[in-house]
Amino acid sequence: MDVSERVEAFLASQPEPKQTDLRQLHAQVLAEFPDARLWFNDGTNEDGKVVANPNIGYGDYTITYADGSSREFYRIGLSANTTGISVYVLGLEDKTYLAPTYGASIGRATVTGYCIKFTRLSAIKLTPF
């Protein structure tokens, strides 16, 4: 199965209304960044153990670890969680940027250094993006 098929299978597996919200966000990111590399991470490690929620990724980013090793990853991630949806923005140099920039205006969301978490798409405003 290619990445697009894996993304579609993931989206189809989500219950409503989360599935509709994820599909809308997915379409919006693809429209904004049509040439971005598409990723899918099923949330398992190399041993097949579940270590995270499955997520869709967009773009390219090189993660460099403290030991000097690195790996390619996505720049923007979209994930379903038990209480809603998380959008991850990786590679921001200023880890304090998201919260003061969007925290007060985005609506009912929790905004951290690299994550925007909300229960429903209708709870947030997409216009600042």
Side-chain angles (χ1 to χ4, degrees):
M1 205 177 331
D2 73 8
V3 174
S4 294
E5 292 170 329
R6 294 176 71 199
V7 168
E8 176 54 36
F10 166 70
L11 292 171
S13 74
Q14 297 302 304
E16 289 294 352
K18 191 179 294 185
Q19 181 181 147
T20 296
D21 287 352
L22 286 166
R23 286 185 184 282
Q24 184 176 341
L25 285 168
H26 177 62
Q28 185 166 351
V29 174
L30 290 177
E32 289 288 325
F33 307 102
D35 297 326
R37 179 178 173 189
L38 184 63
W39 300 68
F40 182 74
N41 182 329
D42 66 3
T44 60
N45 66 12
E46 58 277 349
D47 298 324
K49 181 180 177 186
V50 175
V51 295
N53 291 322
N55 49 79
I56 304 167
Y58 311 88
D60 290 296
Y61 171 61
T62 301
I63 297 174
T64 303
Y65 297 100
D67 68 0
S69 64
S70 64
R71 74 173 175 136
E72 291 301 309
F73 209 58
Y74 52 75
R75 173 72 69 175
I76 299 170
L78 181 59
S79 178
N81 57 55
T82 56
T83 60
I85 297 170
S86 295
V87 176
Y88 300 97
V89 183
L90 304 179
L92 295 173
E93 289 184 30
D94 181 358
K95 300 294 185 222
T96 65
Y97 175 78
L98 283 180
T101 305
Y102 298 108
S105 64
I106 197 168
R108 292 178 312 194
T110 301
V111 183
T112 67
Y114 64 92
C115 180
I116 302 168
K117 188 182 335 183
F118 47 93
T119 56
R120 292 286 320 274
L121 194 53
S122 61
I124 64 167
K125 298 175 192 151
L126 292 177
T127 52
F129 305 104

